Amino acid sequence: MSAPPRTPILQLIDVRKTYATGHLEVEALAGVSLDVSEGDYVAVMGPSGSGKSTLMHILGCLDSPTSGLYRLAGTDVSTMSEAELAEVRNRRIGFVFQQFNLLPSLAAWRNVELPLIYAGIPRAQRRKLAFASLERVGLADRVEHRPGELSGGQQQRVAVARALVTDPALILADEPTGNLDSRSTEDVLALLSELHDAGRTIVLITHEAEVAAAAARTVRIRDGLVDTGELTGRAVSSG
Amino acid sequence: MLETFRTAGEAIRSHRMRSILTMLGILIGIAAVILTVGLGKGAQQQVRDEINKLGSNLLIVSPGSTTTSGIRGGRGSASTLTMSDAVTLSNAAVAPDIKQVAPVASSSLSVVAGNTNWTTNVVGTTVDWLTVRARNVAQGRFITQDDVDQGRQVMVIGSTVSSELFGQRSPVGQTVTVSGNTFSIIGVLDTIGSSTTADEDDQAVIPQTSYASRISTSANRSSITTMYIEATSQSSLSAAYQEATNALTTSHGVTATNRDFSISSQQSLLTTATSTDQTLTVLLAGVAGISLLVGGLGVMNIMLVSVTERIREIGLRKALGATPSAIRRQFLVEASSLGLSGGILGLTLGIVGAVVLPHFLSQPVLISPFAAAGAVAVALVIGIVAGVYPASRAARLAPIDALRSE
Ligand SMILES: Nc1ncnc2c1ncn2[C@@H]1O[C@H](COP(=O)(O)OP(=O)(O)OP(=O)(O)O)[C@@H](O)[C@H]1O
Ligand SMILES: [Mg+2]
């Protein structure tokens, strides 16, 4: 898996994110620099509260850094208009939230089709794509269930199906297997490997070594900083 | 665009309770405005009708207290007004602005039909009474000049007298006795209800000449109790007033300081009515304004709460690729469909109420299209602004901030 270095599709340069809650300031990211090249498969690990989700939100254009530079496919994200950002989120990124963020009033397939609505895809085709995506995560028999009628693991898989439904070039997943048993975890990992092989770029957060092992490399985060001693996932698992 | 409508429709359906509450707020606000304004307008109309009942362009001449006439209006005492006064005022040369004069002599007497009797106001007058008092005949005919000239013992009765004496039977052609004199009933007056002064349906009208010769107990049999004067037009009312005052002052040989008559005009009533009208209008505007304000605040509240609840949804939709304008469009369609359906239901309820309410209140309810349109417009605007403004603010947040909002 030692592909020649390609143009970084994601490039973070000294990114900081400070949260101000009342008079208390929390520096969630304290100067992160990171390159992810096209077709890369990166696992992000780190203790709870180390800033992993914060990093992921910035990568997904859901939040903006307090300072530093974020280039997405060479473009400085801070110069993008709202409409451009909406298009990037819609067409290029598939995001799996740590808290799923499903709309409780909509059936599983209606949640999955949401990104397709904003992509302007006709209804019949949306339905077909959403059903196919749910089938890929093993929920073909749960398409009409609402999130409240699904288990935590099933909800998580709906969230994964929604991230994959637009077939995005970049998949950002915040603990996509956090609620899954080993069987479902394997299924999701197989799915991600398949996408990786098809040339998609994947960044996922995990606490589990075996999940990180599936990735091409692992980035460790501690107290808002990238641990300098970078190790590749394969090296860890084989070592 | 179709998609926006579908999404909005779904949001409305999936939050049924909230949608119903929003519509209810709009509905009640609009119905309240329509009904309060309608009730007020009805009352206003009632006051106006009441005044018109008295006859148009009307002056009323009453015998005044004089140093010689003793107790005014007392039975047996001579009134200061006589038939000759009516003749004087009928003269176009003397009073060009007076169109008609209806002299009236009246007293409360028992009218007997078979073994039933009813005490009513027996009125002796001339043919012009009908037009001067703005009345009509519902059955039969009114007294004619010939009846007056011949002093015929004929009588036209009001509807109350008719039902008291004859029940459901037709009174025309029947005979009654008053103070031992037989009168044939020739007609029945239309029903107009009570005026501000008396029950206008409880009276019996006979020719003035018959009254003078058969009924009157006055020392001077040609004395009368009141004269109704109709001016040629509303604008000539004060000229007619002046002419009547001058003519009677001269013919009675009195001066401005010891007049033995008084003339009241509708003017005083009209002034009262106009000021009542104005008070009502101000009151109405106030009540309608408050209803609208309360309704509007209700709608605003529910909309604000509903949008605040849904900031997370807005954040998620943005995270999945919705542009701020797509969000705004969705909430605009939602708020306006809620507002429109609430508005239509409110209008319907208001109109139904306006039709049904009078049956229970004996109060007319007049729908004011202006108030109805205003109420709908205000509710819609408030609903839409309150629905779209917070949504479009939330749509400007970073998706993650919206997603994290409580
Ligand atoms: N909206 C916020 N306001 C204030 N502080 C925040 C906010 N979001 C995160 N933080 C703080 O920033 C730090 C990093 O949070 P983050 O969610 O990125 O952690 P994480 O690495 O994803 O943790 P976990 O593994 O538990 O999900 C934490 O200390 C957290 O308290
Ligand atoms: Mg996290």
Side-chain angles (χ1 to χ4, degrees):
Chain A
M1 267 287 142
S2 54
R6 277 171 273 190
T7 45
I9 185 163
L10 307 177
Q11 186 175 36
L12 294 179
I13 301 170
D14 195 28
V15 165
R16 290 164 192 272
K17 179 73 186 182
T18 313
Y19 292 113
T21 37
H23 40 258
L24 206 78
E25 288 210 338
V26 177
E27 192 162 53
L29 295 178
V32 170
S33 297
L34 182 71
D35 281 5
V36 176
S37 30
E38 205 168 340
D40 207 350
Y41 188 172
V42 182
V44 178
M45 295 189 81
S48 181
S50 56
K52 304 184 296 296
S53 293
T54 307
L55 173 70
M56 205 63 133
H57 294 149
I58 287 172
L59 288 177
C61 300
L62 304 179
D63 208 354
S64 42
T66 311
S67 72
L69 188 65
Y70 170 32
R71 284 209 193 94
L72 177 71
T75 312
D76 179 357
V77 168
S78 66
T79 63
M80 289 188 184
S81 70
E82 272 284 355
E84 286 170 325
L85 284 171
E87 170 141 2
V88 164
R89 292 178 199 125
N90 186 238
R91 310 273 166 112
R92 299 173 67 169
I93 301 176
F95 202 100
V96 182
F97 291 93
Q98 192 171 9
Q99 276 88 19
F100 320 148
N101 287 326
L102 302 173
L103 289 184
S105 59
L106 299 182
W109 81 269
R110 306 298 310 279
N111 267 289
V112 173
E113 73 155 357
L114 283 176
L116 300 176
I117 293 180
Y118 298 111
I121 290 172
R123 190 174 162 83
Q125 203 184 336
R126 290 204 306 265
R127 188 183 160 90
K128 221 188 301 169
L129 288 171
F131 274 56
S133 194
L134 280 165
E135 200 177 340
R136 286 175 93 178
V137 297
L139 287 177
D141 54 343
R142 292 286 187 276
V143 288
E144 294 291 355
H145 285 58
R146 292 188 182 193
E149 301 156 357
L150 295 171
S151 73
Q154 287 170 335
Q155 290 181 44
Q156 184 150 44
R157 281 184 282 159
V158 173
V160 172
R162 183 178 61 193
L164 302 185
V165 75
T166 50
D167 193 18
L170 178 60
I171 294 155
L172 302 175
D174 196 345
E175 299 201 30
T177 59
N179 288 284
L180 302 183
D181 57 40
S182 56
R183 178 68 217 287
S184 307
T185 300
E186 265 167 43
D187 289 348
V188 168
L189 288 180
L191 196 56
L192 291 175
S193 291
E194 199 182 300
L195 291 166
H196 173 55
D197 292 341
R200 308 286 177 268
T201 309
I202 302 170
V203 179
L204 66 74
I205 294 173
T206 186
H207 280 115
E208 298 159 80
E210 58 265 39
V211 174
R217 64 181 176 115
T218 300
V219 172
R220 293 183 179 278
I221 301 231
R222 184 178 300 275
D223 296 333
L225 286 168
V226 175
D227 254 3
T228 39
E230 268 190 30
L231 299 163
T232 68
R234 301 275 183 217
V236 168
S237 62
S238 62
Chain B
M1 201 60 224
L2 182 69
E3 217 40 68
T4 314
F5 278 101
R6 207 175 269 143
T7 310
E10 242 149 42
I12 290 170
R13 254 177 284 123
S14 61
H15 301 97
R16 202 168 286 118
M17 197 60 203
R18 198 178 58 203
S19 308
I20 289 173
L21 283 178
T22 311
M23 284 203 291
L24 213 61
I26 297 176
L27 188 157
I28 289 172
I30 290 173
V33 171
I34 291 177
L35 287 181
T36 46
V37 172
L39 275 170
K41 286 241 163 206
Q44 233 169 20
Q45 189 60 50
Q46 236 177 4
V47 171
R48 281 179 198 162
D49 287 349
E50 205 89 308
I51 296 205
N52 287 338
K53 265 185 208 165
L54 294 172
S56 55
N57 315 332
L58 194 66
L59 291 173
I60 301 165
V61 187
S62 317
S65 46
T66 68
T67 45
T68 52
S69 70
I71 306 150
R72 180 158 51 113
R75 188 98 69 95
S77 70
S79 163
T80 56
L81 293 178
T82 62
M83 274 307 289
S84 64
D85 291 323
V87 174
T88 309
L89 296 183
S90 302
N91 185 344
V94 175
D97 290 299
I98 290 174
K99 192 173 162 199
Q100 285 176 323
V101 179
V104 163
S106 68
S107 49
S108 185
L109 291 168
S110 182
V111 179
V112 183
N115 47 16
T116 332
N117 77 81
W118 178 250
T119 302
T120 188
N121 191 34
V122 177
V123 174
T125 189
T126 58
V127 290
D128 290 338
W129 184 90
L130 201 65
T131 45
V132 172
R133 299 305 313 275
R135 296 296 296 267
N136 283 301
V137 175
Q139 265 180 63
R141 60 172 183 88
F142 194 65
I143 55 176
T144 59
Q145 190 58 50
D146 200 40
D147 292 332
V148 178
D149 292 344
Q150 303 300 321
R152 288 207 184 94
Q153 288 173 232
V154 292
M155 179 183 275
V156 178
I157 57 178
S159 57
T160 305
V161 180
S162 169
S163 60
E164 289 295 341
L165 290 180
F166 303 103
Q168 297 300 312
R169 285 178 296 143
S170 169
V172 177
Q174 308 278 353
T175 56
V176 292
T177 46
V178 181
S179 309
N181 300 286
T182 307
F183 284 85
S184 341
I185 311 266
I186 54 168
V188 182
L189 293 168
D190 57 350
T191 306
I192 59 162
S194 296
S195 74
T196 40
T197 47
D199 181 354
E200 298 290 339
D201 294 325
D202 191 6
Q203 54 186 334
V205 181
I206 60 174
Q208 184 274 328
T209 43
S210 320
Y211 186 93
S213 59
R214 306 284 171 183
I215 308 292
S216 178
T217 54
S218 211
N220 178 356
R221 286 185 167 258
S222 75
S223 74
I224 54 179
T225 40
T226 313
M227 254 192 300
Y228 293 102
I229 298 174
E230 187 187 349
T232 48
S233 73
Q234 186 92 54
S235 56
S236 63
L237 199 64
S238 61
Y241 177 92
Q242 212 48 56
E243 288 158 12
T245 309
N246 292 343
L248 291 178
T249 306
T250 312
S251 68
H252 287 197
V254 292
T255 62
T257 50
N258 66 345
R259 285 199 185 108
D260 56 355
F261 62 91
S262 65
I263 304 180
S264 65
S265 70
Q266 271 200 108
Q267 206 57 51
S268 51
L269 268 168
L270 275 177
T271 319
T272 319
T274 313
S275 74
T276 313
D277 219 90
Q278 276 163 356
T279 316
L280 271 173
T281 310
V282 171
L283 197 77
L284 277 183
V287 171
I290 290 168
S291 310
L292 263 189
L293 190 74
V294 171
L297 281 177
V299 170
M300 197 160 88
N301 253 331
I302 298 169
M303 280 294 187
L304 283 178
V305 168
S306 114
V307 174
T308 312
E309 258 177 16
R310 294 174 61 193
I311 288 179
R312 286 173 52 81
E313 176 189 334
I314 293 172
L316 177 69
R317 287 181 183 275
K318 269 197 80 178
L320 298 178
T323 56
S325 66
I327 303 277
R328 264 197 303 275
R329 231 180 299 129
Q330 179 193 338
F331 279 78
L332 178 70
V333 171
E334 261 186 65
S336 32
S337 23
L338 279 180
L340 267 181
S341 16
I344 289 169
L345 289 178
L347 266 180
T348 314
L349 184 72
I351 291 170
V352 168
V355 173
V356 172
L357 224 52
H359 294 297
F360 299 100
L361 287 181
S362 73
Q363 252 279 326
V365 180
L366 294 183
I367 293 172
S368 150
F370 180 73
V376 172
V378 169
L380 269 185
V381 168
I382 291 178
I384 289 171
V385 169
V388 174
Y389 174 69
S392 84
R393 268 187 47 165
R396 281 199 294 268
L397 290 177
I400 205 70
D401 290 334
L403 268 169
R404 264 197 296 248
S405 84
E406 286 307 310

